[in-house]
Amino acid sequence: MPTLVKKYPAWLKKESISIFSFLCLFLAMARETGEKQEKTVTIFTIGDSTMADKPTEGGNPERGWCQLLPEFVRGTVRVENHAVNGRSSRSFIAEGRWKVVLSQLSEGDYVFIQFGHNDQKVKDSSRYTNPYTGYRQNLERYVKETRKKGAIPILFTSVVRRNFNSYGTLVDTHGDYPLVVRMVAEAMKVPLVDLQRLTENLEMAYGPERSKKLHLWYAPGEIPFYQEGKEDNTHYSVKGAREVAGLAVKELKKTVSGIGSYLK
């Protein structure tokens, strides 16, 4: 007996193919969207003690401003703080710390670069850099190698020290280093966050006495961690670090295209 073949109208066959194609396209798009949503953007920070993570055990009141940065990010953004006390743009490379960061960089990540405080150490040949030669060369290297990995470099001028004179004037301590950061940013078209300007305004707004709260000023016996007292005009208290991180984030939203979606 002949095989019974069930026939369908031609229009139904075409419609079925169209529905099938649509479903395949929809599933592919959903998978791609899911992969994009799952990708984690990482902010790597490199620099000195004013940025670095500080131990919190024993009531230590000191914080680096990048230590507070996780409070200001959203979604799947991670902050990898590689800043370390005492490092200059030179010693960070010489000790292999930059190599470690570079090996972890992925396309779309960010690298926050802030050096200068320890590049001034003229009595330490392992850290000192001439602002117009070695320092500039190191900054350019960070930028070039970051971009080569498809990541986004962002330059930061150094935060100011709380250095008020007897007349209540805040006196600069960084010389030409911040200027060179601005020069590199302009020449290489790198986003710049001018923390020197922002933190200078912050210190002056607080004034010579109230600005102590931004730093580590404690009378003997005031807190257990500094039983003998402390007068540190460079490093930050929790309050100071949080204020500086907030200023940095606000400026990043204005100056770096696309980063705003990752920041609160």
Side-chain angles (χ1 to χ4, degrees), residues 18 21-22 25 27 34 36 43 46 62 92 99 105 109 121 134 140 173 199 202 208 214 230 236 252:
S18 298
S21 299
F22 173 78
L25 179 61
L27 290 171
K36 287 181 179 178
I43 297 173
I46 63 173
E62 183 182 353
F92 197 85
K99 185 177 180 180
L105 283 183
D109 288 339
K121 307 292 186 181
E140 290 172 343
T173 65
T199 55
L202 177 67
L214 301 173
K230 184 77 170 178
Y236 291 115
L252 283 163

Side-chain angles (χ1 to χ4, degrees), residues 39-245:
K39 175 175 169 50
T40 299
V41 171
T42 304
I43 297 173
F44 291 88
T45 62
I46 63 173
D48 54 45
S49 58
T50 61
M51 304 168 77
D53 289 346
K54 306 300 166 64
T56 58
E57 295 80 8
N60 181 13
E62 183 182 353
R63 300 290 187 277
W65 72 262
C66 288
Q67 191 171 0
L68 276 293
L69 198 56
E71 296 182 6
F72 296 87
V73 301
R74 65 173 80 245
T76 58
V77 180
R78 292 189 304 123
V79 177
E80 289 280 345
N81 191 2
H82 288 260
V84 182
N85 290 11
R87 271 55 185 186
S88 70
S89 68
R90 178 178 184 174
S91 63
F92 197 85
I93 293 171
E95 293 174 2
R97 297 179 184 278
W98 174 236
K99 185 177 180 180
V100 171
V101 173
L102 200 58
S103 69
Q104 298 177 45
L105 283 183
S106 297
E107 185 175 354
D109 288 339
Y110 294 88
V111 181
F112 292 4
I113 306 162
Q114 181 206 291
F115 291 100
H117 275 87
N118 299 300
D119 287 80
Q120 297 178 295
K121 307 292 186 181
V122 69
K123 294 182 180 181
D124 186 345
S125 61
S126 68
R127 293 189 288 176
Y128 174 74
T129 60
N130 181 303
Y132 291 101
T133 54
Y135 182 63
R136 177 163 186 161
Q137 177 178 290
N138 291 337
L139 294 182
E140 290 172 343
R141 175 177 174 176
Y142 289 130
V143 170
K144 290 175 183 176
E145 293 184 354
T146 297
R147 284 174 167 170
K148 191 173 181 180
K149 296 295 290 276
I152 303 161
I154 302 174
L155 290 170
F156 292 74
T157 51
S158 294
V159 296
V160 301
R161 295 181 175 93
R162 181 191 165 277
N163 186 43
F164 288 95
N165 64 17
S166 58
Y167 301 101
T169 301
L170 188 68
V171 180
D172 173 61
T173 65
H174 287 108
D176 292 338
Y177 291 92
L179 174 61
V180 172
V181 179
R182 297 182 187 103
M183 291 169 65
V184 173
E186 182 176 1
M188 301 185 74
K189 308 302 180 189
V190 184
L192 171 70
V193 175
D194 197 345
L195 276 186
Q196 183 194 36
R197 175 177 61 84
L198 295 171
T199 55
E200 181 177 293
N201 290 340
L202 177 67
E203 300 281 353
M204 291 192 299
Y206 271 83
E209 189 60 33
R210 288 181 61 239
S211 59
K212 292 177 181 178
K213 296 294 184 183
L214 301 173
H215 298 276
L216 304 173
W217 269 73
Y218 301 99
E222 183 177 347
I223 63 171
F225 195 82
Y226 292 123
Q227 277 294 331
E228 297 180 3
K230 184 77 170 178
E231 293 183 5
D232 184 335
N233 294 312
T234 299
H235 302 100
Y236 291 115
S237 63
V238 175
K239 177 180 177 60
R242 184 171 287 118
E243 291 250 19
V244 175

